[in-house]
Amino acid sequence: MNNKFIPIISVFMTISLIVFVALQFYWLKGYYEALEQDFSNKVHAALESSVKKINDQEVEKYYARYKNFDQEAIANADQPTLTLIQTVEDSASKRQITTYKNIIEKQSIPISPQGDSLNLTKMYTDEALITIKKNQNTPELLTAEQNSQIESGEFNFREFAQLNVKDLPIDQRVDQKSIDSLVSRELKMKGIDTKFGYGIIDSKDQLTTVASSIYKDEKNADSYSFPLYLDSNDQIQYSLALVFPRKGYSLAKNNLPMLLGTFLSLLTILGIYIISINYMMKQKKIAEVKTDFINNMSHEFKTPLATISVATDSLANDKISNNPEKVKYYSHLIKQENLRMKKQIENVLNMSKLERNEVQLFLKETNLRNLIREITESFSLIVAQRDGTITQEFTADRYIVKVDEFHISNALINLLDNANKYSPEVPEISVKTKSDSHWYIIEISDKGIGLDSDNKKKIFEKFFREETGNIHNVKGQGLGLSYVKKIIELHKGQILVESHKGKGSTFTLKLPMT
């Protein structure tokens, strides 16, 4: 993918994601509002049913004193207040007679000295439909069945009650325990099972003494109310109000699968987006680093090739070819530059094998003290060209370790080479070893330019190189530390770095003891 298209694709992906997330939140908002509306409808239905039952309980309380009122009304059934008889004749030979009789009794029951009363209205209805055959000459006999229908006196009973209460205190009209249990039962019947508080509000929107502790604590929260008692003019005297301190939790709990599925899908999309953008940016960075790597490698190869070319031309010169010392010098130069190119190619090939997990270690028990001493003394010649020093401190009492000599040697040389390259002044390098019950520990320290804290983890990435400011003689491909880390990990060891900008760095290798 062309690197120029990556920012454009990222912008379009970001816009699409923002639109998607906005739509998801808009849908969630609408869904939650629908849940709240459904909750509100259920609460109002429960309130309406509760209020009716509270009123019925109050009526029954006062009506219990007049148990024989309905018996008196039936005893007066022969004295109807309204009787209706309707006759319908068809054109054939039938006649229908409809009889309708009502007994209506009203009574007012006083319930307080201030004039509050319970008005009772009872209605008894007797209705009959009689069909007889019409005979023009002879009246039809009244059968026993027809006579029984007329004379049965069986009434349908309906009763109506209205409380006219104005001055009776509210705490004398209702019982708090009864309200709590009744409302709780009605809410559960409507599918609402969460903590609630109740309170009775008067006509001035003031809370009365009839209220639960939860309502008193949450009285400023959103509440649901329904008229409880009306006066004779149908004006609201008291209202029953409910609050739900855990309404949000209840709604989320009852709809958890839907909400959880939505949030998981949203998080999945966000995760895919982040991974995609991160992957594209990494690919862009890798492409840029690889370009720099190729340019750097070209430069690294160009220098030794130019040196070899000059040395070859010099050897072709008769004056130099006849001088054994000059021939020996230029031959050594050609060999040195050839080895330098070979080492660079091997680094690249080794990293390629490591990436494909094709490197096989040939482990054998090795005297690491002797191996490190040989490498250090050999490398000290290079450091000495800059008037630098390498100090050795071998305190490990156990130094026979199973390692691959070739790769461990390369790893140590890479670390020593970095310590030398990144020491702008006279190199001061120290090599220390120690051991414990589990690890053979190697520490390579320098007093060079050090690392920024942000780069401590990045230095082990492939192609990464620390910025060296005005130091232009630091060459390399950014493969050394990545190679070292992978080799140590293949030995099931650890590599640690401790560094401070301007003070130097210490690399610690831990190899498992045999």
Side-chain angles (χ1 to χ4, degrees), residues 217-431:
D217 294 337
E218 303 286 339
K219 61 182 178 181
N220 295 324
D222 293 337
S223 62
Y224 303 86
S225 62
F226 195 86
L228 178 60
Y229 294 132
L230 305 177
D231 60 16
S232 57
N233 297 320
D234 290 334
Q235 298 297 314
I236 299 175
Q237 281 187 305
Y238 295 101
S239 298
L240 177 61
L242 300 180
V243 293
F244 298 88
R246 302 180 65 186
K247 182 181 76 171
Y249 172 77
S250 176
L251 291 176
K253 179 183 176 183
N254 293 336
N255 299 272
L256 187 60
M258 176 68 72
L259 295 175
L260 190 60
T262 302
F263 276 114
L264 286 177
S265 65
L266 188 60
L267 288 175
T268 301
I269 297 296
L270 286 173
I272 293 173
Y273 166 79
I274 293 171
I275 291 171
S276 300
I277 293 295
N278 189 45
Y279 178 78
M280 287 193 296
M281 297 308 294
K282 278 188 176 180
Q283 290 300 312
K284 182 175 180 293
K285 182 181 177 181
I286 289 173
E288 293 172 351
V289 171
K290 282 185 177 179
T291 301
D292 293 340
F293 168 73
I294 292 171
N295 293 336
N296 194 26
M297 283 292 294
S298 300
H299 176 74
E300 291 289 324
F301 285 155
K302 183 178 179 181
T303 301
L305 284 172
T307 303
I308 292 171
S309 178
V310 172
T312 304
D313 291 341
S314 298
L315 288 174
N317 191 313
D318 292 336
K319 294 181 180 180
I320 294 176
S321 62
N322 294 326
N323 188 336
E325 291 185 1
K326 292 288 185 181
V327 171
K328 185 177 179 181
Y329 170 77
Y330 284 114
S331 298
H332 178 73
L333 186 63
I334 291 171
K335 183 178 180 181
Q336 184 178 0
E337 293 300 316
N338 183 56
L339 290 174
R340 179 180 169 186
M341 291 178 62
K342 182 181 178 182
K343 179 183 176 183
Q344 292 171 352
I345 292 171
E346 283 180 351
N347 282 339
V348 175
L349 292 176
N350 284 333
M351 281 304 302
S352 178
K353 289 181 179 179
L354 285 171
E355 289 293 329
R356 297 195 301 268
N357 295 322
E358 293 180 356
V359 172
Q360 291 184 351
L361 299 181
F362 297 96
L363 302 176
K364 67 176 183 177
E365 291 187 350
T366 305
N367 187 325
L368 275 184
R369 173 178 287 183
N370 291 339
L371 179 64
I372 296 170
R373 180 179 282 114
E374 290 174 5
I375 293 171
T376 303
E377 290 176 355
S378 175
F379 198 82
S380 63
L381 299 175
I382 299 174
V383 176
Q385 294 177 0
R386 299 179 59 199
D387 298 325
T389 59
I390 297 181
T391 59
Q392 303 178 30
E393 184 180 338
F394 301 144
T395 61
D397 54 357
R398 299 171 59 200
Y399 39 81
I400 304 300
V401 185
K402 244 184 185 180
V403 296
D404 184 305
E405 284 190 29
F406 174 76
H407 287 294
I408 286 294
S409 298
N410 284 341
L412 293 172
I413 291 171
N414 269 295
L415 292 176
L416 290 170
D417 189 46
N418 279 348
N420 180 46
K421 288 191 300 184
Y422 290 98
S423 295
E425 306 298 334
V426 176
E428 294 182 32
I429 304 171
S430 70
V431 179

Side-chain angles (χ1 to χ4, degrees), residues 168-182:
L168 196 63
I170 188 64
D171 56 359
Q172 296 182 21
R173 301 186 62 180
V174 294
D175 178 64
Q176 292 199 40
K177 292 183 179 180
S178 176
I179 292 177
D180 193 305
S181 62
L182 196 151

Side-chain angles (χ1 to χ4, degrees), residues 164-203:
N164 293 324
V165 180
K166 183 176 182 182
D167 299 318
L168 196 63
I170 188 64
D171 56 359
Q172 296 182 21
R173 301 186 62 180
V174 294
D175 178 64
Q176 292 199 40
K177 292 183 179 180
S178 176
I179 292 177
D180 193 305
S181 62
L182 196 151
V183 173
S184 177
R185 183 168 61 253
E186 291 297 325
L187 288 172
K188 287 181 180 179
M189 289 176 64
K190 298 296 187 294
I192 299 175
D193 188 10
T194 184
K195 185 169 69 173
F196 70 94
Y198 65 88
I200 295 181
I201 311 299
D202 63 18
S203 58

